[in-house]
Amino acid sequence: MTVTPLSFAGDGGVVRFNLSEFGQQDISQQVPYFKLKQNQLPIPLLRADLAKWLTRLPPHHQANTFGDAFLTVFDVYNDTEQTEWFVYPYGSVIENIEIISFDGGRYATKVQSGHDVINQQDFHYGAKIDIKPGQSKTLMLVFQSDYFFAPTKILLQPYKTLVKKFNIEKVLILLCLGICLALGVFNLFIFWVVRQALYLHYALATLAFTFGWASVFGLPEFMALGSSTILLMPSYILGTLFSCYFYMCFLKTASQAPRINLGLKITAFAALFSLPLALYSQGFGLYLASILTSAALFIGLYAGISAWRQGYIPARYFTLALLAVLLPNSVGNLMNLGILPGYNINIYLLGLVGNSLDSLLLAFAIAVQVRLLNEQNIELTSSLEQKVNERTDELTQANLQLEQTNSELLEANLTKNRFLASMSHEIRTPLTSIIGYADGILMGDIDKSEQERVTRIIAENGSHLLTVISDILDISKIEANKLEFEDIPTPLFAILAQIESVVGKRARDKGLAFHLDYQYPLPAQIYTDPTRLRQILFNLTNNAIKFTEQGFIGLSVAIDNGKLCIKVKDSGEGISATQLTQLFQPFTQADSSINRRKGGTGLGLSISQRLARGLGGDIQVESTPRKGSAFVMRIQLRVVENSPWINSVSEIWQSTPTRTIKPVSLPDFSGNRVLLADDHPSNRELIAILLKRMNIVVTEVENGQQVLDTLFYQQFDLMLLDIHMPHMDGTEALKHIRASGNHTPVIALTANNMKHEVQHYLRLGFSDHLAKPISRHHFVAKLSKYLTKRGGLETHLHQQDMLVLIKDYQQELLLQLQKIEGAWQQKDLTLISDIAHRIRGSASSFGFDLVSEKFADIERSALQDDEMAIAYTLPKVLQLSRLCADLPQVDIPQGIINHHNSIEQLLFALYELLNLAQQSFHDMLDALADNTVNSALIHLQEFQPRIKHCALLGAVEACKQLEILFVQGDCNPYLTAPHIQQIKMHFTQLEQALTPNILLDV
């Protein structure tokens, strides 16, 4: 193209073009631009005045997106034979364009064009002008608009050529808009029928974009529907909003791609909040729409590709749809933002075509999705009958199986009921021999030189059996496999000696032979859980005794393939091969008739097998009917380091320390200072006495705040902190102690002693943990870790000191029972749990073990907000606890001391006293009636030791006076009647207090 500047007087020049060289060339970058101001003089009507007028205008370089007014001027010379030409400004949406033609000295002619006017060519800006061959004209284009969406391009081409092009574009525009409108309305109707959000989002997005493109091309103005200017950009922003929700529904991003789903949600919310700005300013709307549509398209494209790669077939059409709209619209958005220059193409038409292809391909993607769903439905429908038939066959088989096992289930249910009814009686049967030993000591049947050894055997095995009872009664704990196993050094032969002592006596009492066979060599100490090991062996041996009427019971101990192997063999009834399959099932015995003949719960073997597996082994059985059985337990064998191996019986006693002859000693911790914090005065006093017995200087406080105050001016070698204290608990006090830089060892005192609870305290910073009630052995062991030992003290806690402590706690317990009853009346579960925790942690230390156990259940129910359980249990527990603390005419502290510091054992002794002693009492009365004083004395001596052991205050003195009279041969009713009445009255009071047997009810 030839550009020849045409000079005006006093002007810099106007560009001149030859029409023959235009072709498809855009001349927008080759013409000068001038800025118009609001107070600008009117445009001159004569070409002669134009030069002077232009000198007053400043140059213009770039259109302002938020509104502008400028013009351009250029000359054209027609060096062709064509007369009709068309000036075509395009590439941007502009409200008003004036096309002014100056022809020589004539007045200028002016044509209006733009978005807000009726154009000569529908949907296109510009005007037709006539330029004769050889004629020159000066053309001025004035652009005025409140927004400019893209750089404006200028074409000047033959009229007929452009009209043909415009006609094609008009058809294409109307076709694309019609397709989008039809798809939007159609899917709107589908939504109305099926009520699926997917169709609604697609329809609204399509209709919003359709209205946006129609507004760009001025379709509402063409149809005389009014100006659509205000909705140009908001339409695209609404389309983006609904497109994001369509993408989320179609691709199920909420479950398949949460991060992509979040990105689409953020874009949708941004579009929603951008609407007011877009309505306020089309310039702001342009930038917001460009950014948001691009963000939605790119996120959607990424989501579509990801779903396509994961095998979601409709996603391929979804991806192609977004590519069809992304490419032209991304170019258009970049041109709108000024990042790309204006290309000589109708970018809006390409954008509309891309949007139409997008709508079509998305509709196809929805159709493919529906087709897949239909195929799945057809497949499901076709297989439904087959599945129904299969399910019917399965149900038929299940019904047959249910019918076959119905009798077995009924039997199992009856077994469970019998188990629940007789559990307490059946499980305490092993205690019979231990109680017999105790009776033998009390009645003088056992030599005094043997009494200490026998007493310790009774105490150890009695304590073990009570622990076993607790584990078995908590059957849910066993079924859930939540038993905790220790792994500590254990003297193997001490365990076996306990089994031999207890089980051997029971076997011999039944007339059976009992032998224990060691297959040497055997280790003296192994790592295992001694309590669980004893429990297994007691279960197996007691089972053997129960089912053996004559013959023998034998134990053999050996090492077999690196495991400890203990075999329990008997000559009893034996078990058939069929019965062996169910032998280790809970609540099951080899034969249902066995329960009727032998009793028992059917739990022993099941528990034993589970415990053996917990110890790293298992139990196997070999049996032949009427020829006996052999239960073989194999457990993991880990020998304690430096433990000797035993090769003969004589070496056993050398390797096993004899606790019965070793005096109890306490270490001497002279010079050590201990801070003891516990809000329970009786607990504090008991622990302080133990500490002082070891020559420790003790400072006592009752809450965490006093701990901090005391540490301000004193230093200690060790601190014992109760966890639950008023004002400030132990954990909070520990935080302040450690924060102050004090690293003195601190031991947590608490009744919470589960493994996870202990680990929690250690994580908080406690150095160690001591469980309540305090075990003297563990207590001394913990102190030895942190204090300097001076030597040993041959001393122990005097019985008189313990009596004083129990009496004090007895009164405090009654006060605590009164408080918890008041808390229950207020339904204050928090206070109930606090009081129950105090009782639970302290009662056992003073012999009220049964009370401690019951309040542990109350605390658990209160912490779980189980008001129904408390309403059912608390009244019974209160009744039992008051009975324990206030038995009529019983010296409770002395009775607890006499019964191994256990109120539970005292209560059992009182029930036994009522059952047995009263018969001897009546026999004594009958002897007195027959004047046989010697017989009366014999009967008196039968129940007198029990009355003394149970610490019956008045009855003890009455029995003593009767004994004096009977020894003197005096049975004068006048002398004996007051004492007999005293004993009788005491029996009556006890019977009233202990009836019904509350131990069986709680």
Side-chain angles (χ1 to χ4, degrees):
M1 179 188 310
T2 301
V3 179
T4 304
L6 176 65
S7 298
F8 294 119
D11 179 38
V14 175
V15 178
R16 176 173 176 168
F17 302 98
N18 292 327
L19 291 179
S20 63
E21 299 174 354
F22 262 98
Q24 293 291 331
Q25 295 298 320
D26 168 29
I27 64 172
S28 62
Q29 300 299 317
Q30 303 178 39
V31 297
Y33 293 93
F34 303 91
K35 187 171 184 61
L36 286 175
K37 299 180 181 179
Q38 291 184 352
N39 58 355
Q40 187 66 45
L41 294 176
I43 296 173
L45 299 178
L46 296 176
R47 183 175 179 276
D49 301 328
L50 185 60
K52 183 178 180 182
W53 184 79
L54 286 174
T55 59
R56 303 172 184 171
L57 301 180
H60 185 273
H61 302 290
Q62 185 175 358
N64 188 347
T65 303
F66 299 96
D68 210 342
F70 61 92
L71 62 85
T72 183
V73 179
F74 56 91
D75 280 353
V76 292
Y77 173 72
N78 188 1
D79 59 347
T80 70
E81 298 298 325
Q82 298 191 49
T83 303
E84 297 179 335
W85 295 85
F86 195 86
V87 181
Y88 179 34
Y90 70 101
S92 184
V93 181
I94 306 172
E95 288 182 299
N96 190 21
I97 305 173
E98 291 184 358
I99 302 173
I100 305 172
S101 173
F102 295 91
D103 186 6
R106 301 177 187 175
Y107 287 100
T109 59
K110 181 168 63 175
V111 178
Q112 291 286 340
S113 184
H115 187 270
D116 290 345
V117 301
I118 303 299
N119 294 286
Q120 291 181 1
Q121 292 294 323
D122 298 330
F123 316 139
H124 296 82
Y125 303 155
K128 176 186 175 184
I129 61 172
D130 292 330
I131 306 176
K132 296 178 181 180
Q135 183 182 6
S136 294
K137 280 193 176 183
T138 300
L139 298 178
M140 178 185 293
L141 278 63
V142 181
F143 303 93
Q144 291 181 313
S145 180
D146 288 338
Y147 47 82
F148 284 88
F149 288 173
T152 305
K153 303 177 230 1
I154 303 173
L155 285 181
L156 184 61
Q157 289 193 329
Y159 177 72
K160 293 182 179 179
T161 302
L162 275 181
V163 167
K164 291 180 181 180
K165 177 182 176 182
F166 288 162
N167 289 336
I168 294 173
E169 289 185 357
K170 291 175 188 177
V171 172
L172 195 57
I173 290 170
L174 293 174
L175 179 63
C176 290
L177 291 175
I179 290 173
C180 293
L181 180 63
L183 288 173
V185 173
F186 176 70
N187 281 274
L188 203 57
F189 282 123
I190 293 178
F191 166 74
W192 186 263
V193 175
V194 301
R195 298 291 177 175
Q196 290 186 13
L198 174 74
Y199 296 101
L200 176 63
H201 297 320
Y202 172 82
L204 293 178
T206 302
L207 292 175
F209 283 125
T210 301
F211 186 80
W213 287 114
S215 299
V216 166
F217 290 102
L219 187 62
E221 289 79 2
F222 169 75
M223 299 175 65
L225 298 176
S227 175
S228 61
T229 299
I230 194 173
L231 295 176
L232 276 171
M233 290 300 109
S235 300
Y236 289 97
I237 293 177
L238 279 173
T240 302
L241 170 66
F242 294 119
S243 293
C244 289
Y245 279 100
F246 170 73
Y247 299 163
M248 287 188 278
C249 290
F250 184 80
L251 298 176
K252 302 174 182 176
T253 55
S255 58
Q256 301 298 325
R259 292 187 177 180
I260 294 176
N261 190 74
L262 178 61
L264 290 171
K265 276 190 175 182
I266 293 174
T267 305
F269 286 137
L272 181 63
F273 292 127
S274 299
L275 276 176
L277 274 177
L279 290 169
Y280 171 73
S281 168
Q282 296 302 313
F284 281 121
L286 171 66
Y287 287 108
L288 292 172
S290 300
I291 294 171
L292 293 172
T293 54
S294 298
L297 287 172
F298 280 109
I299 295 174
L301 181 63
Y302 176 76
I305 293 173
S306 300
W308 188 355
R309 292 178 61 184
Q310 292 175 6
Y312 185 48
I313 296 175
R316 68 179 67 173
Y317 302 104
F318 177 88
T319 304
L320 294 175
L322 263 61
L323 285 174
V325 73
L326 181 65
L327 295 176
N329 280 283
S330 294
V331 174
N333 287 337
L334 293 175
M335 290 173 61
N336 290 341
L337 297 173
I339 299 175
L340 290 178
Y343 294 107
N344 189 18
I345 55 175
N346 192 341
I347 194 64
Y348 293 125
L349 181 59
L350 287 180
L352 175 60
V353 172
N355 200 88
S356 302
L357 288 174
D358 171 68
S359 299
L360 282 170
L361 289 171
L362 287 180
F364 191 69
I366 294 175
V368 172
Q369 185 188 59
V370 173
R371 178 175 60 81
L372 291 176
L373 290 175
N374 287 336
E375 289 177 356
Q376 292 175 0
N377 289 335
I378 292 172
E379 184 179 352
L380 289 173
T381 303
S382 62
S383 63
L384 181 61
E385 184 177 354
Q386 179 181 356
K387 289 185 177 180
V388 169
N389 291 334
E390 292 176 357
R391 179 61 89 184
T392 302
D393 293 340
E394 291 175 1
L395 291 174
T396 302
Q397 293 296 326
N399 287 333
L400 291 175
Q401 187 175 1
L402 286 174
E403 291 177 3
Q404 293 173 357
T405 60
N406 185 49
S407 61
E408 297 176 6
L409 291 174
L410 289 175
E411 180 64 29
N413 188 50
L414 290 174
T415 302
K416 284 187 178 182
N417 289 336
R418 287 193 295 270
F419 160 73
L420 295 173
S422 60
M423 171 66 76
S424 180
H425 170 73
E426 291 292 343
I427 209 65
R428 284 176 169 82
T429 299
L431 290 172
T432 302
S433 60
I434 298 175
I435 294 172
Y437 257 135
D439 286 343
I441 294 174
L442 294 173
M443 301 303 294
D445 297 337
I446 297 176
D447 188 81
K448 287 188 177 182
S449 62
E450 291 291 313
Q451 284 185 3
E452 185 176 359
R453 182 181 67 83
V454 171
T455 301
R456 290 189 176 275
I457 292 174
I458 292 173
E460 291 175 358
N461 290 285
S463 175
H464 163 70
L465 285 178
L466 288 176
T467 302
V468 172
I469 291 169
S470 298
D471 288 339
I472 295 176
L473 290 177
D474 193 3
I475 188 66
S476 61
K477 180 179 178 183
I478 297 174
E479 289 290 339
N481 290 322
K482 291 184 178 179
L483 287 176
E484 296 178 352
F485 290 87
E486 292 184 308
D487 190 25
I488 59 176
T490 301
L492 175 62
F493 291 95
I495 299 288
L496 296 171
Q498 292 176 15
I499 302 298
E500 182 180 21
S501 171
V502 177
V503 178
K505 182 179 185 304
R506 287 198 62 208
R508 288 187 287 273
D509 289 344
K510 195 174 180 180
L512 302 174
F514 179 85
H515 62 82
L516 178 58
D517 179 29
Y518 297 115
Q519 298 181 20
Y520 304 105
L522 293 170
Q525 285 192 313
I526 62 173
Y527 284 108
T528 189
D529 187 326
T531 301
R532 305 306 179 193
L533 179 58
R534 274 194 299 265
Q535 186 174 349
I536 296 170
L537 294 177
F538 273 124
N539 278 341
L540 294 180
T541 52
N542 288 335
N543 218 43
I545 292 174
K546 180 191 294 186
F547 296 105
T548 303
E549 298 300 331
Q550 57 183 1
F552 67 92
I553 304 294
L555 265 75
S556 64
V557 186
I559 304 298
D560 183 16
N561 293 327
K563 290 199 170 188
L564 177 64
C565 177
I566 301 179
K567 180 185 291 187
V568 179
K569 191 172 183 181
D570 64 68
S571 58
E573 300 179 5
I575 309 167
S576 68
T578 303
Q579 295 165 342
L580 283 174
T581 59
Q582 297 182 344
L583 192 62
F584 292 102
Q585 295 298 320
F587 304 104
T588 303
Q589 292 178 322
D591 189 338
S592 61
S593 63
I594 290 176
N595 181 268
R596 293 187 293 270
R597 293 186 287 111
K598 303 290 186 180
T601 63
L603 280 173
L605 291 179
S606 174
I607 293 170
S608 299
Q609 187 183 59
R610 295 180 188 218
L611 294 179
R613 290 173 178 172
L615 297 178
D618 205 347
I619 296 178
Q620 297 175 335
V621 59
E622 302 170 359
S623 183
T624 303
R626 293 178 298 280
K627 292 186 179 180
S629 305
F631 287 82
V632 182
M633 177 188 69
R634 291 180 175 86
I635 62 172
Q636 183 180 16
L637 177 64
R638 289 196 302 117
V639 181
V640 175
E641 297 83 357
N642 301 322
S643 172
W645 285 77
I646 306 304
N647 294 284
S648 65
V649 174
S650 60
E651 294 180 13
I652 294 177
W653 307 113
Q654 297 174 7
S655 64
T656 304
T658 306
R659 297 173 58 189
T660 56
I661 61 175
K662 183 179 179 180
V664 178
S665 65
L666 294 175
D668 182 5
F669 291 115
S670 298
N672 290 279
R673 296 172 59 85
V674 171
L675 176 61
L676 171 62
D678 194 317
D679 63 315
H680 199 291
S682 299
N683 269 358
R684 200 165 61 243
E685 185 177 357
L686 175 62
I687 298 172
I689 288 175
L690 288 174
L691 292 170
K692 291 173 183 177
R693 292 286 182 188
M694 292 178 275
N695 292 331
I696 295 173
V697 178
V698 184
T699 301
E700 302 177 43
V701 295
E702 61 183 27
N703 59 59
Q705 186 58 53
Q706 292 181 3
V707 169
L708 301 182
D709 295 340
T710 305
L711 288 174
F712 185 75
Y713 59 87
Q714 291 190 56
Q715 292 184 344
F716 298 92
D717 301 294
L718 179 65
M719 285 180 267
L720 305 176
L721 295 190
D722 186 22
I723 293 298
H724 295 280
M725 293 185 292
H727 305 299
M728 182 184 293
D729 62 18
T731 57
E732 186 66 22
L734 180 71
K735 291 179 183 178
H736 291 287
I737 292 170
R738 295 303 187 224
S740 67
N742 189 329
H743 298 288
T744 302
V746 181
I747 297 179
L749 295 176
T750 177
N752 301 327
N753 56 1
M754 297 296 289
K755 272 188 176 180
H756 70 276
E757 294 171 326
V758 175
Q759 292 170 359
H760 172 68
Y761 297 139
L762 297 180
R763 284 195 299 269
L764 289 177
F766 283 98
S767 309
D768 218 320
H769 166 272
L770 265 174
K772 294 181 180 179
I774 299 297
S775 164
R776 183 178 304 188
H777 171 72
H778 290 125
F779 187 52
V780 172
K782 297 290 185 184
L783 294 178
S784 300
K785 287 174 61 177
Y786 302 103
L787 300 180
T788 303
K789 192 185 300 184
R790 306 295 181 187
L793 299 172
E794 298 296 327
T795 184
H796 55 84
L797 187 61
H798 295 302
Q799 186 181 98
Q800 190 60 37
D801 294 333
M802 195 65 197
L803 282 172
V804 173
L805 290 175
I806 295 175
K807 287 180 180 179
D808 292 342
Y809 183 75
Q810 182 181 0
Q811 299 305 315
E812 183 179 342
L813 176 60
L814 291 172
L815 180 60
Q816 293 294 335
L817 297 177
Q818 184 178 354
K819 288 182 179 179
I820 202 170
E821 188 172 25
W824 173 239
Q825 292 174 356
Q826 300 295 326
K827 297 297 186 291
D828 188 344
L829 298 187
T830 301
L831 182 56
I832 289 175
S833 68
D834 290 342
I835 298 174
H837 182 84
R838 287 171 60 87
I839 297 175
R840 169 197 169 195
S842 58
S844 290
S845 300
F846 304 97
F848 293 92
D849 49 348
L850 183 61
V851 177
S852 175
E853 175 188 340
K854 299 306 178 185
F855 273 98
D857 297 334
I858 296 297
E859 180 190 12
R860 188 182 307 113
S861 299
L863 291 173
Q864 296 172 354
D865 291 333
D866 192 348
E867 192 170 317
M868 292 184 63
I870 296 176
Y872 176 76
T873 310
L874 184 59
K876 299 179 181 180
V877 173
L878 288 173
Q879 182 184 358
L880 173 63
S881 302
R882 286 198 174 96
L883 181 67
C884 292
D886 193 18
L887 284 165
Q889 293 299 311
V890 178
D891 186 350
I892 294 176
Q894 186 63 56
I896 289 175
I897 293 292
N898 293 345
H899 290 84
H900 308 289
N901 289 327
S902 172
I903 190 68
E904 184 174 18
Q905 293 190 31
L906 173 59
L907 288 176
F908 277 120
L910 288 172
Y911 281 116
E912 189 172 319
L913 174 66
L914 292 176
N915 292 332
L916 302 178
Q918 288 196 71
Q919 182 60 49
S920 299
F921 177 71
H922 290 301
D923 292 340
M924 181 192 73
L925 295 180
D926 293 339
L928 288 175
D930 295 336
N931 291 319
T932 54
V933 180
N934 289 335
S935 296
L937 179 60
I938 292 173
H939 293 307
L940 173 63
Q941 290 176 343
E942 287 178 356
F943 65 83
Q944 183 181 9
R946 293 180 182 272
I947 288 178
K948 183 178 180 181
H949 198 56
C950 291
L952 303 188
L953 294 171
V956 170
E957 182 62 25
C959 289
K960 183 178 180 181
Q961 294 301 322
L962 285 176
E963 183 179 19
I964 294 172
L965 292 173
F966 292 165
V967 169
Q968 295 174 353
D970 192 350
C971 60
N972 185 346
Y974 180 77
L975 298 175
T976 58
H979 306 303
I980 293 173
Q981 185 61 30
Q982 175 69 29
I983 298 172
K984 186 176 181 180
M985 180 182 67
H986 206 160
F987 281 162
T988 302
Q989 290 176 341
L990 275 179
E991 192 170 16
Q992 291 174 352
L994 298 175
T995 304
N997 191 338
I998 195 169
L999 290 176
L1000 300 178
D1001 191 36
V1002 178

